[in-house]
Amino acid sequence: MATASAVALLGVWLLWRFDPNAPGNPFLPCLFRMATGLYCPGCGLTRMLHALVHGDIARAASMNVLALAGLPVLGAIALNEMRGRTLLRGAVARFAYNGRFWMVAALAFGIARNLPFAPFTALAPG
């Protein structure tokens, strides 16, 4: 638990200290985007976390709305598993713990954010 907390704090510090939009940052670019020119479901994730660490929720949503929406669910799952508390119940728990649901959601999001017409162009990071 202490190691995970230290790694999380290091990640928050890196996101606070370095801007992923700036040249010379320590973050890797998206290899999928470099190879294909398309946005993957994770494109904009680092920039979304950077904006979130700085309290800019609107900017975070513009970078990767699916990941932003999934963070509270991920937090609830982590609390469920670490504390043995049941925060997610019923249909919400069935979706949250269903890997197939998340794979289909990520695939659909990845396709939708690359469509060249409104309203889907708003899903592209930036």
Side-chain angles (χ1 to χ4, degrees):
M1 179 70 174
T3 303
S5 297
V7 169
L9 285 174
L10 176 63
V12 168
W13 179 81
L14 284 170
L15 288 164
W16 179 263
R17 175 71 178 87
F18 298 102
D19 183 357
N21 299 300
N25 70 67
F27 304 107
L28 295 174
C30 178
L31 299 177
F32 182 82
R33 174 119 171 102
M34 288 173 57
T36 66
L38 299 171
Y39 298 113
C40 75
C43 275
L45 182 62
T46 305
R47 291 176 287 158
M48 184 269 300
L49 290 170
H50 173 76
L52 202 56
V53 165
H54 287 274
D56 191 348
I57 295 173
R59 178 88 171 138
S62 77
M63 291 298 164
N64 194 317
V65 71
L66 180 66
L68 183 63
L71 281 178
V73 176
L74 182 62
I77 289 172
L79 286 174
N80 269 354
E81 299 303 318
M82 286 190 302
R83 302 283 185 198
R85 300 175 67 188
T86 306
L87 298 174
L88 302 172
R89 301 174 197 276
V92 174
R94 282 193 298 279
F95 280 111
Y97 282 93
N98 186 337
R100 289 182 186 152
F101 167 77
W102 290 108
M103 286 189 290
V104 168
L107 180 63
F109 180 67
I111 291 169
R113 72 190 326 208
N114 285 291
L115 295 175
F117 49 88
F120 302 107
T121 52
L123 296 175

